[in-house]
């Protein structure tokens, strides 16, 4: 597919007739071949935002120009605070305003916010049009662009309105990571670290040994981290596409993390920052429940700190901080009949989903917030 790219790696997501490839390599974005053999259409719509468009839209347009007669674009306002109905509607306005049809292919050029919104728009426009993920953040390359979860936020909860809808392809161009601000790179490292404790301790050891190279955005190190993360996610999603069981382990750190995001207001902490800190809390809870020892909690906490991420949660309420966390966590999609469910480590490299005694959860929140 790509003669100019000597380091192209492909990870396959096996989902019967919804299977697709994740392409990982350098200089993928600007090559026409990267976008060959997709569903045929007269028009494409590039969904991106005001920050990413000046950096990469022209390159993508050039690569798509041999495949589509018309290439439209929509530039969304940047940020998690805009992952909402109003911004989603801008995509529909453009699709309808440009007389797009049900074959139009959407290209999500951006981080997880653009990817989640473009994916949801693709899932619902004319009851479903094809879309391609072109993730430009580390977080999006290792997690959000893969597996078909699409959504927008509601003021009362993260990713509350959305759909499972798989892309036709995911294109991870490692070159675009070079323009990523350091804080965003760290946020992506949180989701990479996540895969170790829940699924692959050898990968965790590798991340530990290569953290400096990853923070420096070394291409070889990034290629391995993106590929291994996508392999683990592909395996999990291949077993449980719609999260009826196993897939929930990918939410390690997210129950606490979503409470931080919603509690502070979306966009205050980055999603990856909240997940990093949430993993510290989830590991502490796992240790308190006797499932792992404290030595690993310290090792994980140190690695998250070395990744440049916060390890102490914010105080959401001076009077009853734990109560405030619990109130937000009740809205988590994993909650069942009012019982908050946590992804806990169950030994090293394994995870399980379970409720936890409220007193223990409160103690962890008290200990882990500052
Ligand atoms: P983001 O999409 O907000 O992007 C982060 C910032 O980096 C933005 O300001 C963006 O404009 C900028 N940016 C993107 N690419 C850039 C580049 N190459 N160079 C310079 N700047 C660039 O944040 P994110 O961390 O990518 O995604 C977070 C979102 O992903 C959250 O909404 C979260 O809920 C969602 N998410 C979804 C899934 C899923 O499975 N669907 C999984 C994890 C996270
Ligand atoms: N990011 C969690 C999932 O895709 O299931």
């Amino acid at each position: 597919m790509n003669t100019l790219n000597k380091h192209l790696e492909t990870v396959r997501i096996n989902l019967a007739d919804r299977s697709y490839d994740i392409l990982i390599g350098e200089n993928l974005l600007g090559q026409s071949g990267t976008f060959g053999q997709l569903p045929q259409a007269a028009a494409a719509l590039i969904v991106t935002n005001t920050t990413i468009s000046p950096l990469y839209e022209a390159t993508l347009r050039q690569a798509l120009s041999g495949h589509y007669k018309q290439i439209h674009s929509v530039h969304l306002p940047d940020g998690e605070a805009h992952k909402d109905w109003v911004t989603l509607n801008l995509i529909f306005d453009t699709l309808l305003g440009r007389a797009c049809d049900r074959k139009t292919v959407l290209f999500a050029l951006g981080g997880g916010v653009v990817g989640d919104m473009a994916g949801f728009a693709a899932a619902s426009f004319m009851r479903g049009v094809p879309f391609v993920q072109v993730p430009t953040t580390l977080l999006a390359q290792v997690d959000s662009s893969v597996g078909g979860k699409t959504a927008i936020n509601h003021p009362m909860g993260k990713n509350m309105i959305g759909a499972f809808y798989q892309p036709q392809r995911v294109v991870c161009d490692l070159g675009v990571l070079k323009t990523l601000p350091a804080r965003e790179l760290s946020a992506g490292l949180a989701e990479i670290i996540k895969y170790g404790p829940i699924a692959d301790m050898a990968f965790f050891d590798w991340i530990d040994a290569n953290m400096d190279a990853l923070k420096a955005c070394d291409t070889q190190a990034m290629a391995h981290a993106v590929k291994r993360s996508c392999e683990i996610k592909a395996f999990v999603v291949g077993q449980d596409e719609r999260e009826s069981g196993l897939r929930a382990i990918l939410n390690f750190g997210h129950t606490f993390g979503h409470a931080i995001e919603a509690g502070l207001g979306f966009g205050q902490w980055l999603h990856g920052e909240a997940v990093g800190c949430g993993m510290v809390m989830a590991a502490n809870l796992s240790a308190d429940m006797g499932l792992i020892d404290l030595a690993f909690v310290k090792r994980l906490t140190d690695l998250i700190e070395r990744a440049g991420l916060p390890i102490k949660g914010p105080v959401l309420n001076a009077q009853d901080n734990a109560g405030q966390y619990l109130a937000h966590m009740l809205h988590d999609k994993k909650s069942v009949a009012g019982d908050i469910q946590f992804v806990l480590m169950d030994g090293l490299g394994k995870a399980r989903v379970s409720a936890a005694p409220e007193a223990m959860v409160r103690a962890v929140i008290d200990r882990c917030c500052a």
Side-chain angles (χ1 to χ4, degrees):
M1 173 177 285
N2 209 304
T3 50
L4 293 175
N5 194 313
K6 296 195 188 91
H7 306 290
L8 180 69
E9 300 270 11
T10 304
V11 176
R12 182 91 176 148
I13 301 265
N14 283 310
L15 289 170
D17 61 346
R18 295 174 314 292
S19 300
Y20 55 96
D21 285 335
I22 305 164
L23 309 184
I24 303 162
E26 291 181 82
N27 309 318
L28 293 177
L29 193 59
Q31 294 181 50
S32 177
T34 303
F35 302 99
Q37 294 158 349
L38 288 166
Q40 298 222 318
L45 174 71
I46 298 173
V47 181
T48 186
N49 74 21
T50 49
T51 306
I52 300 154
S53 167
L55 295 170
Y56 299 116
E57 187 183 331
T59 310
L60 179 59
R61 265 181 184 273
Q62 179 62 34
L64 296 180
S65 60
H67 300 290
Y68 305 96
K69 273 200 204 122
Q70 293 171 310
I71 301 170
H72 309 296
S73 60
V74 55
H75 303 160
L76 308 179
D78 189 1
E80 184 75 33
H82 298 287
K83 193 175 163 183
D84 59 12
W85 279 116
V86 174
T87 309
L88 182 72
N89 247 328
L90 297 177
I91 306 176
F92 298 128
D93 290 347
T94 308
L95 284 163
L96 291 165
R98 299 289 188 164
C100 290
D101 60 30
R102 60 178 8 153
K103 293 199 163 190
T104 303
V105 184
L106 268 56
F107 288 82
L109 175 67
V113 170
V114 164
D116 280 10
M117 281 197 290
F120 188 31
S124 44
F125 182 65
M126 294 196 179
R127 301 201 182 91
V129 293
F131 87 113
V132 174
Q133 289 274 17
V134 187
T136 62
T137 63
L138 183 59
L139 184 141
Q141 294 194 355
V142 300
D143 192 354
S144 65
S145 65
V146 174
K149 278 189 181 175
T150 75
I152 56 169
N153 299 326
H154 186 281
M156 279 191 278
K158 175 90 178 152
N159 294 332
M160 281 297 150
I161 299 149
F164 286 98
Y165 192 66
Q166 300 296 340
Q168 300 288 321
R169 186 170 299 163
V170 179
V171 176
C172 298
D173 185 331
L174 302 170
V176 303
L177 301 179
K178 304 279 182 201
T179 55
L180 207 56
R183 189 177 166 202
E184 298 292 348
L185 195 83
S186 290
L189 291 173
E191 298 280 15
I192 293 175
I193 292 170
K194 171 187 83 178
Y195 292 111
I198 60 166
D200 185 351
M201 280 304 290
F203 186 42
F204 184 83
D205 293 341
W206 180 90
I207 299 166
D208 205 357
N210 288 276
M211 182 49 77
D212 293 343
L214 290 169
K215 283 190 83 179
C217 206
D218 172 84
T219 303
Q220 295 279 333
M222 274 303 172
H224 179 70
V226 174
K227 181 172 181 237
R228 187 64 195 131
S229 300
C230 288
E231 283 172 349
I232 295 169
K233 183 147 187 187
F235 174 79
V236 172
V237 171
Q239 307 289 309
D240 178 22
E241 181 184 9
R242 287 179 167 253
E243 200 170 308
S244 46
L246 178 70
R247 185 167 178 169
I249 68 168
L250 296 175
N251 280 313
F252 181 53
H254 287 58
T255 312
F256 292 104
H258 286 169
I260 294 173
E261 287 187 272
L264 289 177
F266 295 118
Q268 293 302 306
W269 275 33
L270 302 180
H271 176 70
E273 291 172 337
V275 167
C277 190
M279 287 193 287
V280 173
M281 295 185 182
N284 270 278
L285 185 58
S286 307
D288 288 3
M289 290 181 71
L291 299 168
I292 55 168
D293 59 32
L294 278 172
F296 182 76
V297 179
K298 177 164 179 3
R299 200 174 159 216
L300 176 63
T301 306
D302 289 348
L303 185 60
I304 289 169
E305 191 167 31
R306 279 174 59 216
L309 295 158
I311 53 168
K312 285 281 182 192
V315 174
L316 300 179
N317 181 300
Q319 273 73 47
D320 182 13
N321 187 43
Q324 190 72 10
Y325 271 78
L326 286 164
H328 283 293
M329 292 193 294
L330 256 184
H331 289 303
D332 188 272
K333 289 190 289 308
K334 291 185 296 304
S335 294
V336 183
D339 261 349
I340 302 166
Q341 302 289 309
F342 296 90
V343 181
L344 299 171
M345 288 184 66
D346 193 8
L348 299 184
K350 280 186 286 173
R352 73 162 191 226
V353 179
S354 131
E358 184 177 320
M360 232 177 227
V361 178
R362 282 182 172 271
V364 164
I365 294 167
D366 288 345
R367 197 159 77 229
C368 293
C369 291

